[in-house]
Structures are given as structure tokens and as C-alpha cells.
Amino acid sequence: MLARVRNACLENPRPKEISIDEQMIPFHGQVRMKQFVRGKPQPVGLKISGRVVLKLCDSLPAGSSIFIDRYFTSVPVLETLLSHRNIFCTGTIMSNRIPRSVELKRDNEMKREGRGCHDQVVRLDDKMSIVKWYDNRPIYLGSTICGVSPIEECRRWSKKDSAYIQVPCPYIVKMYNTNMGGVDLLDRILSKYAMRNRTKKWTVRVLHHFFDFAVAAAWIEYRYAAQLNKWPSKDILSYFLFKMDIAENLIYYRREREVQQEHEEESDDAEEEDDGVEQAGSKRKRRATQSLPPKAARIQNAIHMPEMMHNQQKSRSRCRFPGCSSVTYIRCTQCKVFLCFTTERNSFRNFHMK
């Protein structure tokens, strides 16, 4: 299961800007791998962080730009990615991971200057910068691709003024906020309609997590493709309907396999009987196949059935098949939409096949 999910992820195209972050699998059972991470939506569970950023970047082409948080960022990581992989990196960094030789403004000094002030130290070869930006508190960032320029403005809430204000924002902060958050988006989607059945086995919880992970990642790709093709928003399935659609298709696929297997077994039995009759020298003709299909085949897709609504409403309704402007009394029992079919056209069939 894990190998199939990993291989499917590796098949996805790699954009130029990529975010890397850790993920938590909610679990409260007894296991040594369980951790508590303050501030996470699911603070107690199994952390998925990968071995190191270098390992996660194995499949990235040269020239890519990654964005990581302070859990991963350090000066040696930035240097290694740039010198050995030709991969640019930007991320927030802990103050205790900044070399002592890097001298930045003190917190009290920046607090007096006000929100939006910044300080920057650039390496002599201009290939790495360390930036300190003061918002409500000091934030440290390191990058091998960008720095403070150009400085723009961002919208921030002011508790003192009880209103939003414009604050000077370095370019490195803008780039980080724009490109970071892909994993957080996936976490928010995973938290909806996830498999949360109680279990004391961490292996079961991990497998359930990756089932949800595969569906959530597929919905993100589906929504991106729909927006790229400029589908109307009313035609794009929500995550709930998307997941229900997958479940229904899996159920019908299994029924179809069962019906196909029954047909094959009946066909094999008929051939064996006919071979026995021929070997006995009988002149009887081959027995005809049954005219009625098995019950499983008859009821397999018996959910989208037409029903006449002329006894329940006085006038006909417009056909909902795209491009059809006819009116009809016929409605689908499952979809609850009106669809016409006549000798000239069969919108009922086309609606359920396209």
C-alpha cells in the first residue's frame, strides 16, 4: 500500500516551487513513535517528516526552489542543497541555528522601529541571506534565492487600532507565504470525512491515513485540472461528493467483476456438458444459452431507472441534458432530474453514459 502511494506521488509532475513540511497521523494508542507537537491541528500522533530534506529532494530536478519551515531549516542544509543539488531553498529558521558570526539587530531595537522593520546579512558570495523581520514578534528566514528586495506591503491586523493596517513586507517573506502551505492544505482536507474508527494498532491507523491521503491528493489534482480547463464552479465536485463517487464506483466495479465471474463459470459448465454429449456420440444439437441473465446482472445498475411523472405534475419539465431544450415527463429515480428520450434522441442514456 505504501509503495503504491509513493510511486503514484512520484509520477506527479514537479512544479518549480515546492513546499516540504511534516504531517501528523492522529493516534493515541501505546507506541514509542508517538509524539506531541504543540500548535498542530492533531497534536498527538505519528509524525511523518521524512528522513531529511535531502532525501525528499532526490526526485526534484536541478533549478527547483523548495520552501521549508524551521523544523528543517539550517545553514548546512541550505549550503548542501545549493552546492551539491543546485536546488534553491527558502525557510524560516530558529535563532539558535544562525551562526554567531551573523550580527542582526536586537529585538528591543526593532520593536522601537515598529512593525515591518527588517535587517539582512548577505554572505560575501551573494549566494545566501539571513533576514530578520519584525511583525508582532521577530521572525528569522534564510534563503539561497531571494532577500529583502523588493519591499512590498502586506495586510496585518492591528490590535491597538482594531483594524487592518499595511505593513512593509520583505520579498523573502512574500515568497515564503505564497509558496508554503501545500501540506497544511492537505491536512485540512484530510481532517474532513477521514477514517477515525478506534483502533489500538498504529499500523491500521497508518494504512487508513494513506487511503485518505490518496483520495485527498486526487481531489486536489482533480480541482486543479478542472480550474485549468475552466469548468463552471457548479460542475466541480466538492470533496465529499468526490469521495462518495469513488466509493460508489468501487462498489459497482466489484459487482461487475462478480457478474463477469458468474458468466464465465456458467459458460465453462455449458461447454463441459456439451463436450460430454459429443463424446457419447449423441446427435443432439448444442444446447442454447439461457435467455435470461443471472439476477446479479439484472439488478447490477438498476438504480438509474426512468419514471413517468405525469400523474404528479401538470406540465412537463425541461430536459437537463446539456444542449437539449426538450420538455418531458420522464425523471431519473436516482438523479432526480428530468431527461427525455424519443425515437429521435435518447438524452436519458447519453446523460448516464457521458
Side-chain angles (χ1 to χ4, degrees):
M1 172 64 185
L2 299 182
R4 296 191 64 175
V5 172
R6 180 178 180 273
N7 292 335
C9 291
L10 291 175
E11 292 176 0
N12 288 337
R14 296 292 187 268
K16 189 175 181 180
E17 288 83 18
I18 299 171
S19 65
I20 296 177
D21 203 351
E22 69 271 10
Q23 201 172 55
M24 294 290 292
I25 301 178
F27 185 73
H28 294 269
Q30 298 297 324
V31 62
R32 294 179 62 183
M33 296 181 295
K34 185 174 65 176
Q35 298 187 36
F36 174 80
V37 181
R38 188 181 303 276
K40 288 290 183 181
Q42 301 290 343
V44 180
L46 311 176
K47 182 188 290 186
I48 304 177
S49 60
R51 294 176 180 266
V52 287
V53 173
L54 300 178
K55 178 63 177 177
L56 298 176
C57 292
D58 283 344
S59 62
L60 299 182
S64 299
S65 181
I66 66 171
F67 296 83
I68 56 182
D69 64 7
R70 63 177 191 164
Y71 179 78
F72 302 105
T73 311
S74 65
V75 171
V77 169
L78 298 179
E79 291 179 343
T80 303
L81 287 171
L82 183 62
S83 59
H84 297 286
R85 306 286 186 90
N86 194 22
I87 292 178
F88 303 101
C89 182
T90 302
T92 53
I93 185 172
M94 300 179 187
S95 59
N96 58 0
R97 293 184 181 177
I98 299 176
R100 294 183 179 181
S101 59
V102 177
E103 296 183 0
L104 297 166
K105 292 181 180 179
R106 296 183 177 275
D107 295 352
N108 293 334
E109 183 181 355
M110 300 188 75
K111 188 175 182 179
R112 286 193 298 269
E113 293 182 13
R115 294 181 66 176
C117 66
H118 66 271
D119 192 13
Q120 176 181 230
V121 174
V122 182
R123 204 166 65 177
L124 294 177
D125 59 1
D126 293 335
K127 291 185 177 180
M128 184 184 302
S129 65
I130 302 295
V131 176
K132 182 178 181 180
W133 181 58
Y134 193 86
D135 190 12
N136 286 323
R137 58 183 179 85
I139 299 173
Y140 300 88
L141 300 100
S143 177
T144 55
I145 191 174
C146 58
V148 296
S149 299
I151 297 177
E152 302 181 4
E153 289 188 342
C154 60
R155 190 165 176 255
R156 288 288 187 271
W157 174 259
S158 174
K159 187 176 181 181
K160 178 181 178 181
D161 302 329
S162 298
Y164 286 100
I165 60 174
Q166 296 295 324
V167 175
C169 178
Y171 184 69
I172 186 175
V173 177
K174 178 185 176 183
M175 289 293 294
Y176 180 83
N177 291 335
T178 301
N179 295 285
M180 193 67 180
V183 178
D184 293 334
L185 171 63
L186 185 63
D187 282 340
R188 289 197 299 270
I189 297 173
L190 283 171
S191 64
K192 302 179 183 296
Y193 323 115
M195 296 183 184
R196 289 291 185 263
N197 53 315
R198 299 180 63 180
T199 177
K200 295 183 178 180
K201 298 182 178 180
W202 68 268
T203 52
V204 174
R205 180 51 54 83
V206 169
L207 288 175
H208 287 177
H209 170 82
F210 278 100
F211 276 116
D212 292 329
F213 173 90
V215 176
W219 181 74
I220 293 176
E221 291 290 330
Y222 157 80
R223 189 182 64 170
Y224 175 76
Q227 294 174 350
L228 191 64
N229 293 319
K230 298 181 179 180
W231 291 7
S233 57
K234 62 183 181 65
D235 294 337
I236 302 177
L237 296 178
S238 64
Y239 179 58
F240 174 76
L241 295 179
F242 182 83
K243 200 167 187 179
M244 288 293 294
D245 185 68
I246 292 177
E248 291 175 355
N249 278 277
L250 289 174
I251 293 172
Y252 298 146
Y253 174 77
R254 180 176 179 179
R255 290 180 180 176
E256 183 177 355
R257 292 290 300 273
E258 292 175 350
V259 171
Q260 183 179 1
Q261 186 177 0
E262 289 183 6
H263 279 302
E264 292 176 353
E265 292 176 355
E266 292 177 358
S267 178
D268 293 341
D269 293 341
E271 290 180 0
E272 291 177 359
E273 292 181 3
D274 293 336
D275 292 341
V277 172
E278 290 178 1
Q279 292 176 2
S282 175
K283 296 183 179 180
R284 289 190 302 172
K285 296 182 180 180
R286 184 181 294 272
R287 186 173 61 182
T289 57
Q290 294 181 353
S291 57
L292 294 177
K295 182 178 180 181
R298 287 189 288 115
I299 66 174
Q300 176 187 0
N301 292 322
I303 56 175
H304 297 277
M305 305 297 291
E307 61 177 344
M308 293 294 296
M309 303 296 294
H310 64 280
N311 293 330
Q312 302 183 30
Q313 61 185 43
K314 296 181 179 179
S315 60
R316 295 176 293 179
S317 299
R318 185 175 295 277
C319 178
R320 295 297 303 276
F321 183 72
C324 183
S325 58
S326 303
V327 290
T328 180
Y329 280 116
I330 301 172
R331 188 180 72 170
C332 176
T333 57
Q334 177 70 15
C335 304
K336 303 300 181 183
V337 297
F338 285 85
L339 300 162
C340 68
F341 65 86
T342 64
T343 55
E344 292 82 13
R345 60 186 175 278
N346 193 339
S347 298
F348 191 94
R349 180 195 61 190
N350 295 336
F351 180 83
H352 294 99
M353 293 183 64
K354 295 183 180 180

